[in-house]
Amino acid sequence: MDRANAVTGSLFRPVRVEAAVRAVRVAAVVPCHNRPADLALLGADLVACRLAAAAPAPNPEHLRIELSVIVVDNASDPPLDAPSLRADVPFHVLRLATNTGGSGGFNAGMAVALEDTAAADAPDYLWLVDSDARVEPDTLAMLLGAMEADASLVAVGPALSDTLEGGIHEVGGRVDRRTGRFGPASTTATGDTPIDCDYVAACCALVRTSAIRAAGLMPDTFLNGDDVEWCIRLACETDGRIAALPAARAAHPRFDRYATTARYFGARNAFGPIDALGLGPIVRLRRALHETCRAVNQHLMARPDLAALHIRGLCDAARGITRGLPPDLPPIEPPRPLAELEALLEKLTPGTIAIDLPDAERERLAGCRYRRASLSTSFSSLRQSGRAAPNPLPAFLSRVLTGPSYDLAIVPAKGSPAHWLLARDMIELSPAGFVHRRVRRGRILASAAASGAVGAACALRIAACAAARPPLPQPAAVRALAPVAAPRTKLSLSVIILSYNRKAALLETLRRLQSSPATRDAEIIVVDNASTDGSPDAIREHAPHARLIALDANEAIAGFNRGVESASGDLVLILDDDARPEPDALAGAINLLADRPALAAVTLVPFHPQTGATEWPFAARLQSPRDDWPVMGCCNLVRRSVWQAVGGYEERFFLYRNDVDLALTILATGRGVHCNPAWRCEHDSPAAAAKSPRWFQLATRNWLWLARRHARGSRALFGALAGWLWAHRLAGLSPDRHWATFRGGIEGLTLPPPPLSPAVRSDGRAFTSLLRLRFTARRKS
């Protein structure tokens, strides 16, 4: 079936219904982001449900289920296609221009299904299913049978088993009235009688459309807790019931699995269900203090990046920011693959080792050997089988005073008091891999205390907040505002290369561009900055397809502006003469800009071709793509209209920091700068390895200008001075470099920075994000 960019027309085919068979229309809504394999498996499951329901139902009414599926593509890259399965199960794809999360995806799909409320073929039920869920052939029929048998039910869900390990982990959900925490209502219930609960997980939930029209769609909290609050409010608005059917089954990964970014949403969105139940300020306080304790736990596990997510979530909840996706979440250190553990152990050469892992985690170490011994069997665990675990707090207090007890500890990433400050080197295992952390006792204790204080202050403020919740969004409003992506249009490309006395590197770059499918048909413009090594003649001889602009003098970065002025493409690829983008990365970036008009630019991560090392150490903390990346480098894909609107590179910078300035300027206009850590560009530049005194002077001056142009308040002074001092540290023992850095700093302070265009109004947020990236990475290095 061809992919559609929007859902139009009826979702169902006209059905001839025999007198003894009653048709019930169900629209399944499946939001999906970058999970095509999961979507294909789920699509086959939904077809199996339709086939199983085609036979007469085992009840007097003989229900006949008419199933249609709306796949909500949450800005996947590449775009998702509808599963090519059976023609009698219609699959439609609604492609959104931005990732709206679970609640936004479900809402967009539900709004489409309900937009024509007067249609005779409108669905009777909406079936919400996550793309990573699996359903059994009789799941839909059993859920529908329960709903048809009891008109008081407004939503019903199945028993949920773990996708990998099996075993029921949730039969309905319930909110603890004392602590505000939510979890399974039961894990042992059986039978075909629905059991009442507070909510059913949206990973598989059948909901009456009449209830949705009466109450509204999900709260727009992006993910985590949205289905909990929604079910509670559905029941309250309709005087209906929420129930789980133990006999119906679906599989979904456990909700208590190790979380990273979801920690922020768990902290921020925890109070919607509490307010929906009217549980009051004491419960809000307890719930907020629980998140504060989780943040402290991560600090004491030497994971300040994860702790920051909890605290940021609490701070936003205290300010009443509970909707959507924030643009600048704290970055997370990515895990390393388990295959690298052996090499790390040999490098650390620990003396004493402690291993405290559950059996399932210990089995993952079976293939890892250290000094010819298996880690899973050679070292005794801290766990005491058959005996009660001792209180870990006295041991922790002892370690606070005397230091860690071991040289190395291998522990679960979630952590517990038994693991706090346990060893000088901590290896924390999660399903995604491991993280190695060096324990610095004083810094960890100070940061834990600071986070605890901030969290406690937020908890008091949250407890005092009014409990009124905004009304649930209505289908018509969501449908009107749904960011539906326009059909992809082909964008023309111009490549602008700046050349200066690097003839061999330039010719290699031109050769690569000519052979790459992404740039083979592009307009190539080479701007030569008055080279003296014969570069212009070499271009004319070896690359006649390239248009040469030979400048009379070295204008530095202004040459890029001259090249863009003569370009004709919709997009301009701004490229150093020794930079070569990976073809797949560039093709993906072009397609992304074609799919998402709100994005202004894509920057590719530079790496050295021999060593593989990236020029951006802070990019190692980038786990997933970002649209608010405050850095550009040697390879930037920019909409030509945006380049012209902001004025391109600021020519007074001459060299260095001009690309970062452009990124901050674009972000200040409200447009996005996208960075995907998997999209890279080879950069064979000697300047990246050895920096001259001239680099120190210009880079320092331009950094101070960056701070004065884009920062606000105290961060302008802090950012300027921090960058200046760091340049002196980078200068090492060279008097020439220190003198150049000092001169650059004085120039940056005394000379007025180039003014921003009146159309650009910087609020300082992008510069603050830049500071977090650069100086956090530098402290770690």
Side-chain angles (χ1 to χ4, degrees):
M1 174 175 286
D2 293 336
R3 177 172 61 87
N5 287 299
V7 179
T8 57
S10 174
L11 297 176
F12 304 96
R13 294 180 175 83
V15 178
R16 177 186 293 177
V17 183
E18 299 177 6
V21 179
R22 185 166 65 88
V24 178
R25 295 180 173 89
V26 179
V29 179
V30 183
C32 186
H33 176 66
N34 288 338
R35 293 178 179 268
D38 284 346
L39 182 61
L41 293 172
L42 177 62
D45 287 352
L46 297 179
V47 169
C49 285
R50 171 67 181 85
L51 295 177
N59 58 63
E61 292 185 303
H62 292 295
L63 300 179
R64 177 172 178 175
I65 301 175
E66 289 297 318
L67 177 64
S68 180
V69 182
I70 302 174
V71 176
V72 183
D73 183 357
N74 252 329
S76 298
D77 184 31
L80 298 173
D81 290 316
S84 299
L85 299 166
R86 290 178 58 95
D88 58 351
V89 180
F91 280 80
H92 305 268
V93 175
L94 172 67
R95 175 154 174 80
L96 303 185
T98 58
N99 182 5
T100 59
S103 59
F106 278 126
N107 283 350
M110 288 191 289
V112 165
L114 299 176
E115 64 177 334
D116 190 0
T117 56
D121 59 355
D124 304 292
Y125 297 90
L126 294 183
W127 189 18
L128 310 188
V129 191
D130 274 354
S131 59
D132 59 349
R134 301 296 305 276
V135 296
E136 297 185 359
D138 60 352
T139 299
L140 176 58
M142 296 184 72
L143 295 178
L144 185 58
M147 294 283 275
E148 289 287 307
D150 189 342
S152 68
L153 291 177
V154 295
V156 64
L160 299 175
S161 62
D162 185 71
T163 308
L164 298 177
E165 301 177 1
I168 300 300
H169 62 82
E170 181 172 296
V171 184
R174 191 168 297 281
V175 179
D176 188 311
R177 269 54 173 178
R178 195 180 70 86
T179 65
R181 297 166 64 182
F182 39 87
S186 174
T187 58
T188 59
T190 59
D192 54 5
T193 301
I195 63 170
D196 286 351
C197 54
D198 291 328
Y199 66 92
V200 288
C203 65
C204 184
L206 188 66
V207 190
R208 290 187 194 275
T209 55
S210 57
I212 298 174
R213 291 192 180 106
L217 303 178
M218 283 188 179
D220 181 21
T221 56
F222 199 79
L223 56 85
N224 199 294
D226 45 6
D227 47 4
V228 181
E229 179 182 352
W230 187 50
C231 285
I232 294 171
R233 295 179 70 173
L234 278 179
C236 291
E237 293 288 338
T238 62
D239 291 326
R241 295 164 46 227
I242 310 294
L245 185 63
R249 297 297 174 90
H252 186 270
R254 294 180 61 94
F255 300 116
D256 60 353
R257 61 190 184 275
Y258 182 71
T260 51
T261 305
R263 293 171 184 268
Y264 164 79
F265 296 101
R268 188 193 73 176
N269 302 340
F271 309 97
I274 295 173
D275 293 342
L277 288 170
L279 297 182
I282 298 301
V283 178
R284 293 168 63 87
L285 177 65
R286 289 172 178 158
R287 187 66 180 83
L289 290 177
H290 172 71
E291 290 298 329
T292 302
C293 291
R294 294 185 68 191
V296 170
N297 174 63
Q298 289 302 321
H299 270 299
L300 294 174
M301 291 296 295
R303 291 302 304 268
D305 52 338
L306 298 183
L309 292 169
H310 293 282
I311 297 301
R312 172 67 184 278
L314 286 176
C315 290
D316 283 355
R319 293 195 295 263
I321 302 173
T322 59
R323 297 293 180 258
L325 174 68
D328 54 347
L329 279 180
I332 304 169
E333 180 176 339
R336 297 166 61 179
L338 199 60
E340 298 181 7
L341 182 56
E342 293 182 34
L344 175 63
L345 288 171
E346 296 295 342
K347 179 180 178 181
L348 294 175
T349 61
T352 56
I353 300 180
I355 301 178
D356 186 25
L357 296 169
D359 292 340
E361 292 291 337
R362 288 177 65 84
E363 291 176 1
R364 298 176 61 203
L365 296 178
C368 181
R369 306 188 68 81
Y370 167 62
R371 294 182 182 177
R372 301 181 182 179
S374 171
L375 285 176
S376 61
T377 58
S378 296
F379 301 98
S380 60
S381 171
L382 295 175
R383 296 176 180 268
Q384 303 291 323
S385 59
R387 290 188 293 172
N391 187 342
L393 292 180
F396 163 66
L397 294 176
S398 175
R399 294 193 292 270
V400 169
L401 299 175
T402 62
S405 305
Y406 296 88
D407 293 320
L408 173 70
I410 304 177
V411 298
K414 284 186 176 182
S416 70
H419 307 134
W420 295 346
L421 306 182
L422 183 60
R424 292 176 177 84
D425 285 281
M426 300 279 286
I427 293 177
E428 302 172 13
L429 264 63
S430 72
F434 75 93
V435 172
H436 168 231
R437 310 295 289 176
R438 177 62 59 89
V439 172
R440 293 178 172 85
R441 187 175 27 156
R443 179 183 297 178
I444 286 175
L445 292 173
S447 61
S451 280
V454 173
C458 289
L460 292 174
R461 184 175 176 184
I462 288 170
C465 285
R469 306 295 295 180
L472 294 174
Q474 296 301 310
V478 171
R479 183 63 176 139
L481 299 175
V484 178
R488 176 181 291 175
T489 57
K490 184 174 177 59
L491 299 178
S492 57
L493 174 67
S494 296
V495 182
I496 315 299
I497 306 173
L498 191 64
S499 168
Y500 182 68
N501 286 340
R502 281 199 286 251
K503 179 173 65 176
L506 172 64
L507 293 178
E508 175 62 18
T509 298
L510 289 170
R511 185 191 68 79
R512 297 266 196 101
L513 293 175
Q514 184 68 11
S515 62
S516 170
T519 52
R520 185 180 299 140
D521 299 325
E523 177 185 41
I524 308 293
I525 300 174
V526 180
V527 182
D528 186 77
N529 258 327
S531 296
T532 58
D533 65 346
S535 292
D537 292 336
I539 295 168
R540 296 185 185 99
E541 178 181 356
H542 298 286
H545 61 282
R547 177 147 54 98
L548 174 65
I549 300 176
L551 302 179
D552 296 331
N554 183 1
E555 298 184 17
I557 60 167
F560 280 119
N561 291 343
R562 306 291 89 78
V564 176
E565 288 168 3
S566 64
S568 61
D570 300 311
L571 308 176
V572 288
L573 177 63
I574 306 300
L575 201 62
D576 284 0
D577 52 12
D578 53 2
R580 294 119 199 181
E582 294 181 342
D584 290 344
L586 182 57
I590 294 172
N591 289 336
L592 182 69
L593 290 178
D595 289 336
R596 300 180 57 190
L599 283 181
V602 179
T603 186
L604 272 60
V605 179
F607 73 98
H608 195 275
Q610 276 75 46
T611 65
T614 177
E615 294 176 16
W616 296 346
F618 45 84
R621 307 177 65 201
L622 185 64
Q623 283 190 306
S624 58
R626 281 179 56 174
D627 293 340
D628 60 340
W629 191 246
V631 183
M632 284 183 170
C634 61
C635 182
N636 307 307
L637 187 67
V638 188
R639 296 185 191 275
R640 184 164 61 92
S641 59
V642 174
W643 179 283
Q644 293 170 335
V646 302
Y649 283 148
E650 173 50 58
E651 297 181 7
R652 281 185 58 190
F653 277 56
F654 193 75
L655 285 174
Y656 314 124
R657 312 294 190 204
N658 52 284
D659 38 19
V660 178
D661 176 76
L662 178 63
L664 298 179
T665 301
I666 290 174
L667 292 174
T669 67
R671 304 292 292 271
V673 177
H674 184 89
C675 183
N676 185 327
W679 291 351
R680 308 192 307 164
C681 175
E682 176 184 308
H683 191 208
D684 190 7
S685 174
K691 303 184 185 303
S692 65
R694 189 186 191 199
W695 183 95
F696 279 90
Q697 179 180 349
L698 293 179
T700 304
R701 181 199 68 183
N702 294 348
W703 175 266
L704 269 67
W705 278 356
L706 275 181
R708 295 174 66 183
R709 278 163 64 89
H710 296 286
R712 294 294 177 267
S714 60
R715 284 188 171 87
L717 178 61
F718 169 78
L721 295 180
W724 191 358
L725 292 174
W726 185 265
H728 275 294
R729 178 178 176 182
L730 196 63
L733 301 177
S734 169
D736 291 342
R737 292 179 177 179
H738 280 289
W739 173 242
T741 301
F742 177 76
R743 289 177 56 196
I746 295 299
E747 291 175 0
L749 286 177
T750 58
L751 298 179
L756 287 170
S757 166
V760 178
R761 296 180 177 271
S762 177
D763 58 6
R765 294 173 61 184
F767 186 80
T768 300
S769 177
L770 175 67
L771 289 181
R772 289 197 189 105
L773 281 176
R774 288 188 174 273
F775 291 107
T776 302
R778 285 169 177 171
R779 284 199 305 268
K780 290 188 175 183
S781 64

